[in-house]
Amino acid sequence: MTDITTPTKRETTGRARNPSAATDERVHLVAMVELLFFAYRDFTGEADAVLAELDFGRAHHRVLHFVDRNRGLRVADLLGILRITKQSLARVLKQLVDEGYIEQTAGPSDRRERRLTTTDKGRSLAERLLALQTKRIAGALTAAGSQAQGVTEAFLLAMVAPDQRDDVRRLTKAFAHPSHGKDAAR
């Protein structure tokens, strides 16, 4: 993959012949940024409305999603997945626990370790939110055509920081595995 901040030989050669090539590329990339903003707005919009009814936000959604998809997840692993601080997680997690969406238990070998699991109430909300978003993605993939899924997956993975891609691949493949729902093997 080429770093877009460093022009390739083809790009610099093209610019020499066509000075507007750089401008055209920038216009296209800015349009892609804007499309991503609009897609994210609509991807999160329906779920945001459901969350707002509960006085929850996107942080609650992310925590609930990853805990539900990886039951028994250690708090330390959740912090790594979300790339947030303990302080940022504490308020959101406390609210989800206090309102009965997530349970915390001590680790099997280390009592200081905290393991997270969704309750029935939490699983129900997580599934409701996931259904809204998978429906939107399925519709978009269908509208984009038969080649869209592979291209979209490659594009989204390429958007992830290079040093995180292997972790994301493992995490998403593990979640797609039929053993979903079993205790986390961490």
Side-chain angles (χ1 to χ4, degrees):
M1 184 168 125
T2 302
D3 179 355
I4 63 170
T5 60
T6 307
T8 63
K9 184 175 181 178
R10 181 185 56 80
E11 291 168 335
T12 54
T13 304
R15 283 191 201 126
R17 285 180 287 179
N18 182 359
S20 67
T23 303
D24 291 345
E25 181 180 6
R26 178 163 167 69
V27 166
H28 179 72
L29 291 173
V30 170
M32 292 291 289
V33 167
E34 291 172 349
L35 279 172
L36 194 54
F37 282 138
F38 288 120
Y40 184 70
R41 176 199 67 191
D42 292 350
F43 172 72
T44 58
E46 293 169 315
D48 285 350
V50 171
L51 293 161
E53 293 170 8
L54 303 168
D55 290 325
F56 289 165
R58 289 182 186 161
H60 296 86
H61 185 184
R62 287 187 295 271
V63 169
L64 191 64
H65 175 84
F66 285 107
V67 170
D68 188 58
R69 297 288 293 159
N70 197 4
R71 297 177 192 136
L73 182 67
R74 295 182 315 170
V75 169
D77 293 331
L78 181 60
L79 289 169
I81 290 168
L82 299 177
R83 293 180 124 186
I84 59 174
T85 64
K86 286 181 186 179
Q87 294 80 7
S88 297
L89 178 61
R91 179 190 60 80
V92 170
L93 187 55
K94 181 179 182 343
Q95 190 176 5
L96 288 166
V97 169
D98 289 350
E99 295 189 27
Y101 291 91
I102 291 180
E103 293 177 339
Q104 291 186 86
T105 57
S109 59
D110 183 350
R111 306 293 299 163
R112 295 171 298 171
E113 180 181 84
R114 291 186 299 154
R115 297 283 183 144
L116 305 173
T117 307
T118 50
T119 62
D120 289 343
K121 182 178 176 181
R123 276 189 293 282
S124 177
L125 178 57
E127 183 53 42
R128 181 177 174 199
L129 298 170
L130 188 59
L132 292 170
Q133 292 183 319
T134 55
K135 180 179 177 185
R136 179 167 293 278
I137 288 176
L141 288 172
T142 298
S146 63
Q147 302 297 316
Q149 185 167 341
V151 171
T152 302
E153 288 172 1
F155 170 77
L156 292 173
L157 188 59
M159 292 287 291
V160 173
D163 66 327
Q164 294 292 307
R165 289 182 191 149
D166 287 341
D167 290 340
V168 169
R169 269 190 206 98
R170 279 191 298 277
L171 190 61
T172 56
K173 291 205 183 307
F175 287 172
H177 191 271
S179 66
H180 161 65
K182 294 183 179 177
D183 288 346
R186 292 180 188 228

